[in-house]
Amino acid sequence: MIITYIKTNEGWAYLTVFIDLFSRIVAGWAVSSRCDTEMVLTALRRAIRNRNLQPGVMIHSDRGTQYSSEAFRAELEKHGFIQSMSRKGNCWDNAVAESFFRIYKTELVYHEAFTDRQHVLSSTFEYIEHYYNRKRRHSATGYLSPVDFENHFKKAA
Protein backbone atom coordinates (compact mmCIF):
# COMPACT_ATOMS: atom_id res chain seq x y z
CA MET A 1 0.00 0.00 0.00
CA ILE A 2 1.24 3.40 -0.96
CA ILE A 3 -0.36 6.75 -1.70
CA THR A 4 -0.44 9.00 -4.74
CA TYR A 5 -1.72 12.52 -5.25
CA ILE A 6 -4.18 13.76 -7.88
CA LYS A 7 -4.65 17.47 -8.56
CA THR A 8 -8.19 18.84 -8.77
CA ASN A 9 -9.62 22.33 -9.10
CA GLU A 10 -10.56 22.23 -5.40
CA GLY A 11 -7.19 20.93 -4.16
CA TRP A 12 -5.45 17.58 -3.86
CA ALA A 13 -7.13 14.20 -3.79
CA TYR A 14 -5.24 11.19 -2.44
CA LEU A 15 -5.49 7.59 -3.60
CA THR A 16 -4.22 4.51 -1.83
CA VAL A 17 -4.46 0.98 -3.17
CA PHE A 18 -4.09 -2.54 -1.86
CA ILE A 19 -2.89 -4.80 -4.69
CA ASP A 20 -2.90 -8.59 -4.57
CA LEU A 21 0.55 -9.59 -5.85
CA PHE A 22 -0.72 -12.92 -7.15
CA SER A 23 -3.13 -11.56 -9.75
CA ARG A 24 -2.36 -7.82 -9.66
CA ILE A 25 -6.00 -7.12 -8.84
CA VAL A 26 -6.66 -3.91 -6.95
CA ALA A 27 -8.43 -5.50 -4.01
CA GLY A 28 -9.02 -2.39 -1.94
CA TRP A 29 -8.66 1.29 -2.60
CA ALA A 30 -9.75 4.66 -1.25
CA VAL A 31 -9.82 8.27 -2.42
CA SER A 32 -9.78 11.03 0.18
CA SER A 33 -9.25 14.73 0.66
CA ARG A 34 -6.88 13.86 3.49
CA CYS A 35 -3.72 11.78 3.35
CA ASP A 36 -4.36 10.08 6.67
CA THR A 37 -4.66 6.79 8.49
CA GLU A 38 -8.43 6.62 7.97
CA MET A 39 -7.94 6.55 4.20
CA VAL A 40 -5.54 3.59 4.34
CA LEU A 41 -7.82 1.80 6.81
CA THR A 42 -10.72 2.23 4.38
CA ALA A 43 -8.66 0.67 1.56
CA LEU A 44 -7.50 -2.18 3.80
CA ARG A 45 -11.03 -2.90 5.06
CA ARG A 46 -12.32 -2.99 1.48
CA ALA A 47 -9.60 -5.47 0.57
CA ILE A 48 -10.48 -7.62 3.59
CA ARG A 49 -14.15 -7.60 2.60
CA ASN A 50 -13.54 -8.07 -1.14
CA ARG A 51 -10.95 -10.84 -0.78
CA ASN A 52 -12.01 -12.54 2.46
CA LEU A 53 -8.43 -12.22 3.69
CA GLN A 54 -7.38 -14.77 6.28
CA PRO A 55 -4.89 -14.58 9.17
CA GLY A 56 -1.28 -14.87 8.06
CA VAL A 57 -1.66 -12.62 5.01
CA MET A 58 1.30 -10.29 4.57
CA ILE A 59 0.39 -6.62 4.13
CA HIS A 60 3.18 -4.55 2.57
CA SER A 61 3.35 -0.78 2.70
CA ASP A 62 5.79 2.07 2.58
CA ARG A 63 7.06 3.68 5.77
CA GLY A 64 4.50 6.51 5.94
CA THR A 65 3.00 7.53 9.25
CA GLN A 66 -0.38 6.22 8.08
CA TYR A 67 1.04 2.68 8.02
CA SER A 68 3.03 2.92 11.25
CA SER A 69 0.11 4.39 13.20
CA GLU A 70 -1.34 2.57 16.18
CA ALA A 71 -4.74 2.33 14.44
CA PHE A 72 -3.32 0.67 11.31
CA ARG A 73 -1.17 -1.74 13.29
CA ALA A 74 -4.13 -2.60 15.53
CA GLU A 75 -6.26 -3.39 12.45
CA LEU A 76 -3.55 -5.70 11.13
CA GLU A 77 -3.23 -7.42 14.49
CA LYS A 78 -7.03 -7.76 14.81
CA HIS A 79 -7.07 -9.82 11.60
CA GLY A 80 -3.83 -11.72 12.25
CA PHE A 81 -2.00 -10.10 9.33
CA ILE A 82 1.77 -9.74 9.09
CA GLN A 83 3.06 -6.23 8.45
CA SER A 84 5.88 -5.66 5.98
CA MET A 85 7.34 -2.21 5.42
CA SER A 86 9.70 -0.91 2.78
CA ARG A 87 13.33 -0.56 3.63
CA LYS A 88 14.40 3.03 4.06
CA GLY A 89 15.34 4.55 0.71
CA ASN A 90 14.50 1.41 -1.29
CA CYS A 91 11.87 2.18 -3.91
CA TRP A 92 11.93 -1.37 -5.34
CA ASP A 93 9.95 -2.69 -2.39
CA ASN A 94 6.86 -0.90 -3.73
CA ALA A 95 7.46 -1.59 -7.42
CA VAL A 96 4.05 -3.17 -8.09
CA ALA A 97 2.11 -0.30 -6.51
CA GLU A 98 4.36 2.31 -8.14
CA SER A 99 3.78 0.60 -11.49
CA PHE A 100 0.03 0.69 -10.92
CA PHE A 101 0.14 4.43 -10.18
CA ARG A 102 2.20 5.08 -13.32
CA ILE A 103 -0.35 3.17 -15.41
CA TYR A 104 -3.30 4.84 -13.62
CA LYS A 105 -1.91 8.30 -14.22
CA THR A 106 -0.88 7.60 -17.82
CA GLU A 107 -4.19 6.00 -18.77
CA LEU A 108 -6.56 8.18 -16.71
CA VAL A 109 -5.25 11.11 -14.70
CA TYR A 110 -3.19 12.84 -17.39
CA HIS A 111 -6.21 12.80 -19.72
CA GLU A 112 -8.73 14.41 -17.38
CA ALA A 113 -9.10 17.81 -15.76
CA PHE A 114 -10.62 16.89 -12.42
CA THR A 115 -13.07 19.48 -11.16
CA ASP A 116 -13.23 18.11 -7.64
CA ARG A 117 -12.54 15.07 -5.48
CA GLN A 118 -15.90 13.51 -6.32
CA HIS A 119 -14.83 13.57 -9.97
CA VAL A 120 -11.60 11.74 -8.99
CA LEU A 121 -13.62 9.22 -6.98
CA SER A 122 -16.09 8.41 -9.76
CA SER A 123 -13.41 8.26 -12.48
CA THR A 124 -11.17 6.10 -10.29
CA PHE A 125 -14.05 3.74 -9.54
CA GLU A 126 -14.73 3.30 -13.26
CA TYR A 127 -11.04 2.84 -14.03
CA ILE A 128 -10.25 0.31 -11.29
CA GLU A 129 -13.49 -1.65 -11.02
CA HIS A 130 -14.59 -1.70 -14.65
CA TYR A 131 -11.35 -1.46 -16.62
CA TYR A 132 -8.16 -2.25 -14.69
CA ASN A 133 -9.37 -5.31 -12.75
CA ARG A 134 -11.61 -6.73 -15.47
CA LYS A 135 -10.20 -5.76 -18.86
CA ARG A 136 -6.63 -4.48 -18.70
CA ARG A 137 -4.13 -7.21 -19.53
CA HIS A 138 -0.86 -7.56 -17.63
CA SER A 139 2.40 -9.19 -18.63
CA ALA A 140 2.76 -10.57 -15.07
CA THR A 141 -0.45 -12.57 -15.53
CA GLY A 142 0.26 -13.98 -18.97
CA TYR A 143 -1.53 -11.06 -20.62
CA LEU A 144 -4.81 -11.77 -18.87
CA SER A 145 -6.76 -9.24 -16.82
CA PRO A 146 -6.51 -9.80 -13.06
CA VAL A 147 -10.06 -11.20 -12.94
CA ASP A 148 -9.46 -13.49 -15.93
CA PHE A 149 -6.16 -14.66 -14.43
CA GLU A 150 -7.87 -15.61 -11.16
CA ASN A 151 -10.70 -17.37 -13.00
CA HIS A 152 -8.19 -19.28 -15.14
CA PHE A 153 -6.23 -20.28 -12.03
CA LYS A 154 -9.40 -21.48 -10.24
CA LYS A 155 -10.38 -23.64 -13.23
CA ALA A 156 -6.90 -25.18 -13.39
CA ALA A 157 -6.87 -26.02 -9.68
Side-chain angles (χ1 to χ4, degrees), residues 1-2 6 14-19 25-32 38-50 100-101 104 108 117-130 132-134:
M1 296 179 83
I2 60 173
I6 301 108
Y14 304 94
L15 170 65
T16 188
V17 294
F18 178 91
I19 298 173
I25 200 165
V26 177
W29 59 276
V31 171
S32 179
E38 194 55 42
M39 177 183 65
V40 299
L41 285 171
T42 297
L44 177 63
R45 289 172 181 146
R46 284 180 180 161
I48 293 166
R49 184 184 68 239
N50 292 339
F100 168 80
F101 285 143
Y104 164 80
L108 175 69
R117 292 176 190 99
Q118 182 60 43
H119 186 183
V120 172
L121 178 64
S122 61
S123 293
T124 300
F125 175 84
E126 284 295 319
Y127 180 80
I128 291 174
E129 299 298 343
H130 294 278
Y132 187 87
N133 283 346
R134 288 173 174 64

Side-chain angles (χ1 to χ4, degrees), residues 127-143:
Y127 180 80
I128 291 174
E129 299 298 343
H130 294 278
Y131 174 68
Y132 187 87
N133 283 346
R134 288 173 174 64
K135 296 178 183 172
R136 190 178 194 288
R137 293 182 274 168
H138 301 267
S139 60
T141 60
Y143 294 97

Side-chain angles (χ1 to χ4, degrees), residues 135-154:
K135 296 178 183 172
R136 190 178 194 288
R137 293 182 274 168
H138 301 267
S139 60
T141 60
Y143 294 97
L144 296 172
S145 72
V147 168
D148 288 343
F149 179 78
E150 289 185 350
N151 289 337
H152 178 75
F153 184 79
K154 287 175 188 172

Side-chain angles (χ1 to χ4, degrees), residues 59-90:
I59 306 294
H60 181 78
S61 70
D62 69 11
R63 298 172 67 88
T65 58
Q66 302 87 347
Y67 307 108
S68 60
S69 70
E70 287 183 30
F72 187 75
R73 289 178 182 228
E75 190 74 14
L76 295 180
E77 187 175 317
K78 171 183 160 185
H79 294 283
F81 299 154
I82 301 164
Q83 185 172 27
S84 166
M85 292 182 117
S86 296
R87 296 167 287 175
K88 191 174 183 179
N90 192 328

